[in-house]
Amino acid sequence: MTPRNLGPIALLKRLIAARRGDVRAMEDVYHLRGVLTVIAVFLATIGLPGLMLVYYGVVGIRADELALAADVRRRADAASAEFKSAVETQFSTFQNTALSRLTSGQSVHVGQKELSDVLRVAFGFDGDGNLAEPFLSGAGVDPREDQAFLLFDEWREAQSAEREGLWERAATLYAQAARQTHTRRDRARCVYNRARALDRAGLGREAEGTWQQLVDEPARDLYGFRIGDLARLQLAQSRLKRDPAGGQEDLKALAEAVLTQPWEIGRGGEGAVARRAIELLPNSDWTARARGRVDERSAQLYWAERLQPELDTLGAKGRLLRAEPGTFVYMRTDSAVWAMTWTESEQYAFGLDLRRLLDRYRVMAAAAGGPDGDIRATLVGPDAVAPSSVLSRGSLAPWLPNWSFVVTARDPAGLAEQQADQRRRGLGIIFLSLTMILVGTVASTRLVRRELDAARDKSDFAAHVSHELRSPLTQIRLKAEALQLGLATDDVSRSRHYDVIVRESERLSRLVDNILDFSAIEKGKKKYTFRIGDLGLTVARCVEQAGVAMETKTMTIDFELPDDLPVIWHDADAVSQVVINLLSNAAKYGQQSAWIGVRVYVSGDPDGSGRKSGEICVAVSDRGIGIAPAEQKQVFDQYYRSTDPLARSKKGTGIGLTIVRYIMEAHGGRVGIESAPGVGSTFTLHFPLSFVPPS
Ligand code: ADP
């Protein structure tokens, strides 16, 4: 089996056999070491690193994509967590402050702005779930009752007396009316008007006495004022005239009392009484503060009127009472978020402005994604269509159930583009690696093939050499033994035996010369001894030698040598070996024609001025089997032997022409070939005249 035919499995078997000491296998493996080295180098430098690059390219693409997605998702989660914690902080601050105020007994309507800037109104309920502070529900009066009261005869008469300026009569009529009324409220209304009529009539003392009776009266007049408050206002005004300091004290006390007591929703008289009392006082810090408090309370009343009906729709009174004290429950109506809480005995509802709250969260959401970040946060309500491809979502429960903070990619296409970019980069690496592997594989395959050829040639060479050595030795030994034993009885047969011995010895010595020379040439150790001399003489000696040599003795050698051949630098021994190799090939492959032509001539311009540009040519021709054009270059390669069966039938080693080429190169020349199969061949040696050996 030649190494070229070794498949991977056969090669493996050989390797195993070689390790076990099989000599033949060891020889094969020895010849194949070049191939194995190329394969190992390829794997180490290109194959494995390339495959690793491909692997990491594939893994890298996936990892990069995941990392990008994870990074965006992480930032989205962080934004939504941050948002939620900001909201949580706001509400927990609100809750804690509210609770501590309530437990320290502070009224819910004081300092609402500081509690939360979106807090519009706060309600306190009594144990039965009725509004208790700072507002009462305006359930009190049925308008029809007031209508009936206005039509009441004594009342109408008293009113017309007043219009006519008959103040005393009016006072009497009001006293009568008071006696006719059925309810405490209506009586109080009549008594109050009587006091006013008395005052107008100039009966100040009686008037004061009458108002004094009414100072604790909680009932309201037809305009919604508490009659008790009005009576106190009148008394304070009267006192102001006699005793300004005392009167001012009374007015302050009145304003303070009005601001502290619960106001009635839907009536609004309290604010006017307090304002009037403050107006009557000289301006001071106290009046400025008190005016501010009245304004704040009036604004709360405005919101209380708007929001209380919404609170009623929750119908949560009973439910709230069952909840745990100190905790908060959130509920939402059309325009408010209600924070409900309670102490042991009372419950409270804080109405936060829903619109303002949402506006604030929208601003926070817009800031959360950053102005040009790749994520965007929005606030999504119960009615909104949820955006697609949500990256993170944070619910606003319990404060705003059904509302959530939603983070999406600002530009999903951009994100995909970024991922595609990374994928392209990864694919680029993979493509490069694969190209590298491909190029490496092609190059390595060529190298492997060349190494295989070399291995085969070396293997063939070894076989040929051993055969070439053995066959002349066998011949010599057989013939010598025959002579020794006297088996050749007559002169003719003895002479034939001697001829064989001489011919085979010549062959043997030529072979040994060639092998030794080749080995020296291969190692770069061939030594040349250049001398200036007559090349024609050297060639002539070879031709002469061929004439007597057994192999060529019977052949016709046409030798042409010009007389005036210039002398040139050459190594006569080396040139002889070249010429003898060519002559020997001409004899070997010259077939039956038995003709060899040797022609020495000068070519170029030997006689002209450029004499040195010419060359001496030595052409050795035969009329033998010839060489196919495709093989004409290869015959000079080491170990190369023609594939033509005719040529193969001749013994040979494939190094003769290689030596010729090397020696010609050492002389600065070359060897040319002209050949046609079946016609013959001419090998021409070109020795340049200009050649000077290296010193
Ligand atoms: P060898 O003759 O030992 O095989 P060479 O190197 O001298 O080795 O020649 C190489 C090959 O070239 C030969 O095997 C043969 O096929 C071819 N060759 C050489 N000289 C001739 C020739 N004169 N005619 C035909 N073929 C030749």
Side-chain angles (χ1 to χ4, degrees):
M1 189 191 309
T2 65
R4 187 196 278 275
N5 299 334
L6 278 181
I9 295 179
L11 183 62
L12 205 67
K13 280 186 185 160
R14 289 266 155 193
L15 280 170
I16 295 167
R19 281 202 66 79
R20 290 205 185 117
D22 179 330
V23 175
R24 177 72 204 166
M26 278 165 89
E27 202 176 87
D28 278 350
V29 171
Y30 175 78
H31 291 314
L32 283 170
R33 69 193 189 285
V35 178
L36 295 174
T37 310
V38 171
I39 292 173
V41 169
F42 166 73
L43 285 178
T45 57
I46 297 171
L48 291 178
L51 282 177
M52 273 161 71
L53 273 178
V54 171
Y55 174 76
Y56 283 112
V58 172
V59 171
I61 289 177
R62 189 86 195 101
D64 281 355
E65 276 180 25
L66 288 178
L68 186 65
D71 179 49
V72 174
R73 196 166 293 277
R74 189 176 45 70
R75 277 183 289 125
D77 284 344
S80 96
E82 196 179 311
F83 179 85
K84 183 141 187 179
S85 111
V87 174
E88 199 159 16
T89 309
Q90 275 177 10
F91 274 95
S92 66
T93 312
F94 163 75
Q95 289 182 184
N96 294 341
T97 321
L99 269 182
S100 73
R101 283 185 180 191
L102 292 175
T103 47
S104 67
Q106 199 173 328
S107 178
V108 285
H109 70 273
V110 179
Q112 283 189 4
K113 278 259 166 334
E114 292 84 71
L115 198 55
S116 162
D117 59 350
V118 293
L119 176 59
R120 297 288 172 244
V121 66
F123 293 117
F125 302 87
D126 61 18
D128 300 327
N130 298 315
L131 279 184
E133 63 151 340
F135 304 105
L136 302 171
S137 55
V141 190
D142 178 351
R144 280 172 309 181
E145 276 181 40
D146 279 345
Q147 196 59 36
F149 176 73
L150 287 170
L151 298 171
F152 171 46
D153 283 349
E154 281 77 3
W155 174 267
R156 281 171 52 197
E157 277 175 36
Q159 295 254 304
S160 62
E162 255 191 39
R163 274 195 295 277
E164 288 164 29
L166 305 170
W167 295 107
E168 280 188 48
R169 179 170 161 69
T172 316
L173 282 169
Y174 277 126
Q176 281 173 15
R179 279 194 293 278
Q180 297 299 316
T181 55
H182 303 292
T183 64
R184 178 182 165 179
R185 184 184 64 228
D186 291 348
R187 189 165 53 248
R189 286 171 177 173
C190 294
V191 172
Y192 180 82
N193 275 18
R194 177 182 137 77
R196 215 181 48 189
L198 287 171
D199 188 48
R200 287 290 180 87
L203 301 168
R205 203 159 283 282
E206 283 85 345
E208 275 189 36
T210 311
W211 275 323
Q212 197 65 51
Q213 294 165 25
L214 294 171
V215 289
D216 293 324
E217 182 54 57
R220 290 172 188 268
D221 75 357
L222 285 164
Y223 305 102
F225 294 102
R226 267 169 66 127
I227 293 169
D229 292 343
L230 291 175
R232 286 179 73 180
L233 186 62
Q234 296 289 7
L235 284 169
Q237 276 178 284
S238 300
R239 190 172 175 192
L240 204 57
K241 290 175 203 149
R242 308 191 295 276
D243 165 16
Q248 283 179 15
E249 281 309 306
D250 286 355
L251 285 171
K252 276 189 185 174
L254 174 60
E256 192 63 48
V258 170
L259 278 169
T260 319
Q261 78 202 13
W263 293 11
E264 194 166 333
I265 295 174
R267 290 292 189 167
E270 279 82 353
V273 172
R275 251 188 216 106
R276 179 71 189 137
I278 296 163
E279 265 169 27
L280 292 170
L281 288 165
N283 278 338
S284 67
D285 284 353
W286 189 92
T287 53
R289 262 200 318 278
R291 241 180 236 119
R293 285 170 66 196
V294 174
D295 288 348
E296 191 185 345
R297 192 72 178 279
S298 302
Q300 287 173 13
L301 182 67
Y302 163 80
W303 282 104
E305 281 166 2
R306 277 187 59 182
L307 297 182
Q308 196 237 336
E310 286 190 22
L311 184 62
D312 280 349
T313 63
L314 290 178
K317 289 180 200 165
R319 190 143 60 88
L320 275 177
L321 281 172
R322 283 200 298 278
E324 186 82 6
T327 53
F328 277 79
V329 170
Y330 289 86
M331 292 190 185
R332 190 174 68 79
T333 56
D334 285 347
S335 43
V337 173
W338 297 97
M340 312 275 203
T341 189
W342 50 94
T343 57
E344 289 304 331
S345 52
E346 281 109 20
Q347 55 177 325
Y348 299 90
F350 294 86
L352 305 167
D353 191 331
L354 177 65
R355 198 173 52 81
R356 293 287 301 279
L357 212 53
L358 290 177
D359 282 351
R360 167 172 306 169
Y361 293 155
R362 280 195 190 102
V363 171
M364 277 165 69
D372 35 45
D374 49 5
I375 54 171
R376 184 175 55 182
T378 42
L379 209 60
V380 176
D383 306 325
V385 181
S388 58
S389 64
V390 171
L391 292 170
S392 180
R393 178 193 293 272
S395 159
L396 290 189
W399 316 292
L400 276 167
N402 303 331
W403 283 82
S404 41
F405 174 84
V406 171
V407 186
T408 51
R410 187 180 294 277
D411 175 13
L415 189 68
E417 180 55 33
Q418 235 175 310
Q419 287 187 325
D421 246 18
Q422 284 186 337
R423 200 172 312 138
R424 270 196 291 276
R425 267 202 296 276
L427 285 175
I429 292 178
I430 293 175
F431 177 74
L432 263 179
S433 315
L434 287 176
T435 313
M436 221 169 91
I437 293 176
L438 192 74
V439 170
T441 309
V442 170
S444 305
T445 310
R446 284 194 175 176
L447 283 176
V448 165
R449 193 166 296 155
R450 201 181 298 165
E451 287 295 329
L452 273 172
D453 284 350
R456 184 207 55 180
D457 289 346
K458 267 186 193 154
S459 171
D460 284 356
F461 174 68
H464 289 146
V465 165
S466 54
H467 182 258
E468 286 284 274
L469 287 172
R470 202 172 295 125
S471 78
L473 277 175
T474 315
Q475 291 281 337
I476 291 166
R477 199 167 137 218
L478 279 175
K479 299 299 171 194
E481 277 175 5
L483 287 171
Q484 198 179 31
L485 296 172
L487 294 177
T489 44
D490 58 301
D491 283 351
V492 178
S493 87
R494 261 198 299 277
S495 158
R496 232 183 273 134
H497 277 55
Y498 287 128
D499 282 353
V500 170
I501 292 172
V502 171
R503 196 183 66 222
E504 292 303 315
S505 310
E506 281 170 355
R507 232 174 87 195
L508 198 57
S509 72
R510 215 173 39 248
L511 180 68
V512 170
D513 281 353
N514 268 349
I515 290 171
L516 290 176
D517 256 31
F518 178 68
S519 148
I521 287 169
E522 225 189 4
K523 290 182 187 142
K525 286 186 177 164
K526 165 93 179 151
K527 295 260 183 299
Y528 294 94
T529 314
F530 291 105
R531 286 202 181 84
I532 290 240
D534 185 353
L535 188 76
L537 197 62
T538 310
V539 177
R541 279 204 194 110
C542 296
V543 172
E544 195 182 333
Q545 212 177 312
V548 293
M550 290 315 298
E551 202 174 25
T552 36
K553 200 160 103 178
T554 54
M555 304 191 91
T556 312
I557 303 179
D558 280 349
F559 182 42
E560 232 177 85
L561 178 69
D563 295 335
D564 56 345
L565 206 62
V567 288
I568 56 164
W569 284 97
H570 71 282
D571 178 332
D573 287 345
V575 171
S576 298
Q577 195 178 356
V578 166
V579 176
I580 286 171
N581 274 354
L582 291 183
L583 288 172
S584 152
N585 276 354
K588 199 162 39 164
Y589 304 109
Q591 292 288 74
Q592 267 76 34
S593 83
W595 176 88
I596 299 172
V598 179
R599 188 171 152 243
V600 182
Y601 58 95
V602 177
S603 90
D605 184 20
D607 297 323
S609 56
R611 182 187 160 94
K612 288 283 176 194
S613 67
E615 54 187 21
I616 297 177
C617 300
V618 181
V620 180
S621 312
D622 65 62
R623 292 175 186 150
I625 58 171
I627 301 165
E631 282 188 313
Q632 289 180 7
K633 262 212 167 87
Q634 288 167 291
V635 292
F636 295 100
D637 292 347
Q638 58 189 22
Y639 313 128
Y640 186 84
R641 301 210 70 224
S642 168
T643 49
D644 178 0
L646 261 179
R648 284 246 155 195
S649 67
K650 308 287 177 189
K651 290 167 191 159
T653 54
I655 59 172
L657 285 180
T658 313
I659 292 169
V660 169
R661 177 163 64 92
Y662 276 125
I663 291 177
M664 285 314 291
E665 280 168 8
H667 281 80
R670 64 189 171 89
V671 51
I673 179 171
E674 271 173 69
S675 182
V679 178
S681 315
T682 298
F683 288 85
T684 308
L685 308 170
H686 299 261
F687 291 90
L689 292 170
S690 57
F691 173 69
V692 179
S695 48

